[in-house]
Amino acid sequence: MVDLMPAQTHRWQAVEAVVRAHFGRSGFNEIRTPLLEVTELFARGIGEATDVVGKEMYSFQDRGDRSCTLRPEGTASVVRAAVQHGLLSQGPQKLWYVGPMFRYERPQAGRQRQFHQIGVEWLGVSSARSDAEVIVLAWDLLASLGVIGLDLQINSLGTTEDRQRYRDQLVAWLEARSDHLDADSRQRLTTNPLRILDSKNPQTQELLSEAPTLLDALCDDSAQRFEAVQSFLVAMGIPFSINERLVRGLDYYGHTAFEITSNQLGAQATVCGGGRYDGLVHQLGGPVTPSIGWALGMERLLLVLEAAAAADSDGFAARLTARKSPDIFIVNRGEQAETCALVLARQLRGAGLSVELDPSGAAFSKQFKRADRSGAAWAVIIGDQEAKADIMLLKSLQSDNIEHHLLLSDWESVLVILRD
Ligand code: ATP
Ligand code: MG
C-alpha cells in the first residue's frame, strides 16, 4: 500500500475536480459507502469462483465474530446501499463514487493492494442506448482529461442462457484439448470456464483463437441488442473494436462488457472496465433492476496522464497536472515588517489569492531565491523601512522593471493590479 505524497496529491485533486464536473453535467450523483462490508456481500455479489473473492480479499473476523472484508470493488456496496435505502423505488439511479479499494495482489507498476477507483452505476435502465451512454461517459471523461492512446473494446456476454449454452460448448471443446491447457486454465474448466478466455498464457491464447466464440452463441435478441449498442457508438463517432474474448473478472456481467486500454501502460493496460449486470440487484435482495456500470483505476489513469503530459508539455494533460504556483510570494524581514506581512498575507488570502509568506526572517537575497523557486508571478517586499512608511513594493517576477510602490493600508490595489 502506498502513501500519496504532496508532490502527487495536487494531480489527484485536479483529476477529481474534472471528474466531479463531468458527472455533474451528466446527472450522476455521488454516493459514499463504507470501506468495510460483511464478507458475504462480495461472496454473493462478485462470485465465489472469481479471483477477487477466491484469492484477493482482505477479510477478518471482527470483535463481534462477523467476517468483514475491506471492499475490493464498489458495485456490490453501491447496490447494497441502494437496496437498503429503498432508492430503487424512486426510479432509476445514476450514481458515481471514488475511493480506495483493497485486493491482495502482487504489487507492480499499475497494480497495488490499496488502489483507487472512480466508478459509475446506473441502476434501473435496460436499453441498449443506456449502454452506449455509459460507455461514452467513460470515454469522454478520459478524453476531457487529455489522455491519449486509448482503445475501446466491447463484447456481448448475452443472457444467462446464452452464456450457459456457450459455456457447455467451450468446456466440451477445451476438454478435448485439455493437455494443451495451462494448469490454471484446466482448473477453471470446472470452476469458471469463461475466465479461461482472458488467460494471460500465450499458448492458451493461441489455442483459443480456434475455439467457438461467445458472439456465435448469442440468441437473436442478444445479437440485435449488441448491434444496437454498436450503432449508437458509431452515431457518436466513438472508435471501438469487438473483442470476442473480453469477459470481465466478476461473475455478475451479461450483455455488454467493455474495456478501455491504454498503449502507455505495459502489462497493466486496462484503465477502465465495465458492463451490464441485470441480475445483481435482485441477487442482493433488491427488486429486479437491470443495471450497467464501470470502474476506472485512478493510479493507472494518473500514469497515462503523466505520459500524456510528458508527450506534450503545452497540452491539456500537462497543464492539468502541473503544480500550481502561488500568486504572490511575500519577502519580509524585520520585526515590524514581519507583522505587516502576516496581516497582509491574511488579507490577500481572504480576497482569494494564494499567498506564500516567507517565515524565515532570512536575508533578503535568500528570500528572493525562494520567491523565484516558488514560481509565483509576483513578489511583495516589505522591510522595516517600508513598514514604518506604510509601504510595500509589488514586483513582477516574470518581467523585469515592473514594480509598484503601494500603501499597505491600501492593500486592495494589489488585487486591481493582478487582475490586469
Ligand atoms: P486487471 O485485469 O488489471 O486485474 P480487473 O479486471 O481485476 O483488472 P476491475 O475489477 O474491472 O479490474 O477494476 C476496474 C479497474 O480498476 C481496472 O481496469 C484497473 O484500472 C483498476 N484496478 C483493478 N485492480 C487494480 C489494482 N490492484 N491496482 C490498481 N488498479 C487496479
Ligand atoms: Mg484483477
Side-chain angles (χ1 to χ4, degrees):
M1 300 188 185
V2 300
D3 297 308
L4 279 176
M5 302 310 284
Q8 298 157 289
T9 45
H10 71 279
R11 293 194 202 116
W12 283 62
Q13 290 170 353
V15 171
E16 285 160 7
V18 172
V19 165
R20 286 208 164 80
H22 182 71
F23 288 138
R25 284 191 296 271
S26 296
F28 280 75
N29 298 307
E30 187 181 3
I31 181 167
R32 302 187 190 191
T33 64
L35 302 195
L36 204 62
E37 298 273 0
V38 292
T39 304
E40 224 228 342
L41 173 69
F42 303 115
R44 268 209 299 163
I46 302 174
E48 304 269 10
T50 58
D51 280 354
V52 170
V53 173
K55 303 185 197 161
E56 298 174 356
M57 293 205 301
Y58 280 90
S59 302
F60 62 94
Q61 299 296 118
D62 75 359
R63 288 171 191 274
D65 209 29
R66 285 163 296 215
S67 177
C68 299
T69 295
L70 284 169
R71 64 180 188 195
E73 56 106 53
T75 305
S77 303
V78 169
V79 169
R80 180 206 43 74
V83 170
Q84 186 177 327
H85 297 276
L87 285 190
L88 298 168
S89 62
Q90 300 163 29
Q93 297 292 320
K94 294 165 102 174
L95 305 169
W96 72 271
Y97 59 83
V98 58
M101 307 292 162
F102 304 85
R103 297 186 193 177
Y104 192 82
E105 312 199 59
R106 195 165 67 80
Q108 51 201 293
R111 189 174 295 285
Q112 296 163 218
R113 290 180 171 169
Q114 175 175 337
F115 62 102
H116 298 74
Q117 285 185 337
I118 300 167
V120 311
E121 316 293 349
W122 192 357
L123 309 177
V125 283
S126 62
S127 68
R129 208 172 65 157
S130 63
D131 297 25
E133 198 180 338
V134 160
I135 293 173
V136 165
L137 191 67
W139 183 264
D140 286 347
L141 172 61
L142 292 165
S144 76
L145 287 164
V147 173
I148 48 176
L150 296 180
D151 186 32
L152 168 63
Q153 300 192 337
I154 62 172
N155 192 22
S156 173
L157 308 178
T159 61
T160 316
E161 295 75 41
D162 295 340
R163 278 194 302 290
Q164 188 56 51
R165 196 165 47 242
Y166 175 64
R167 195 182 149 117
D168 296 344
Q169 282 174 16
L170 182 69
V171 170
W173 194 90
L174 287 172
E175 266 173 353
R177 295 159 182 81
S178 67
D179 34 329
H180 298 287
L181 278 181
D182 58 280
D184 235 16
S185 297
R186 218 171 299 142
Q187 202 197 338
R188 285 191 168 133
L189 264 181
T190 47
T191 55
N192 200 351
L194 292 197
R195 283 295 276 169
I196 298 173
L197 294 179
D198 70 2
S199 159
K200 306 268 182 325
N201 185 306
Q203 207 191 333
T204 304
Q205 276 303 329
E206 196 178 313
L207 180 69
L208 285 166
S209 62
E210 310 276 299
T213 72
L214 235 170
L215 288 183
D216 288 334
L218 295 185
C219 69
D220 287 351
D221 283 356
S222 298
Q224 267 169 26
R225 190 178 192 290
F226 189 43
E227 289 288 329
V229 173
Q230 292 173 54
S231 71
F232 291 125
L233 292 175
V234 171
M236 289 184 286
I238 309 299
F240 65 90
S241 57
I242 294 174
N243 176 356
E244 297 185 336
R245 274 181 248 161
L246 194 160
V247 288
R248 306 264 315 126
L250 317 178
D251 271 358
Y252 50 60
Y253 289 109
H255 288 301
T256 307
F258 72 96
E259 285 187 358
I260 300 174
T261 54
S262 160
N263 58 13
Q264 310 284 317
L265 285 176
Q268 268 61 247
T270 309
V271 184
C272 176
R276 177 158 280 287
Y277 49 93
D278 290 347
L280 182 65
V281 179
H282 188 54
Q283 194 181 318
L284 291 179
V288 172
T289 309
S291 302
I292 181 163
W294 50 254
L296 185 158
M298 191 70 179
E299 283 79 4
R300 291 187 200 175
L301 170 58
L302 264 298
L303 289 172
V304 217
L305 259 183
E306 280 153 26
D312 177 5
S313 58
D314 291 327
F316 184 77
R319 277 178 280 130
L320 185 73
T321 54
R323 186 165 216 140
K324 303 274 176 292
S325 303
D327 299 312
I328 295 182
F329 190 102
I330 303 182
V331 172
N332 59 116
R333 182 172 157 87
E335 201 180 328
Q336 202 177 336
E338 285 167 24
T339 305
C340 290
L342 181 68
V343 172
L344 177 68
R346 178 164 181 260
Q347 286 163 329
L348 294 173
R349 287 169 183 156
L353 295 179
S354 68
V355 178
E356 193 63 42
L357 172 63
D358 194 304
S360 67
F364 280 115
S365 60
K366 275 199 177 155
Q367 293 195 37
F368 270 118
K369 276 203 190 102
R370 277 190 214 125
D372 279 330
R373 248 180 313 179
S374 78
W378 295 87
V380 163
I381 298 110
I382 312 174
D384 264 347
Q385 253 177 337
E386 283 89 359
K388 282 201 185 80
D390 185 37
I391 280 175
M392 64 175 128
L393 177 64
L394 175 68
K395 187 174 171 359
S396 169
L397 294 174
Q398 275 160 12
S399 23
D400 289 337
N401 306 326
I402 299 187
E403 50 181 56
H404 306 266
H405 290 271
L406 305 171
L407 290 179
L408 276 167
S409 51
D410 181 32
W411 62 272
E412 280 160 313
S413 55
V414 173
L415 306 178
V416 178
I417 293 170
L418 261 66
R419 217 175 289 133
D420 293 340

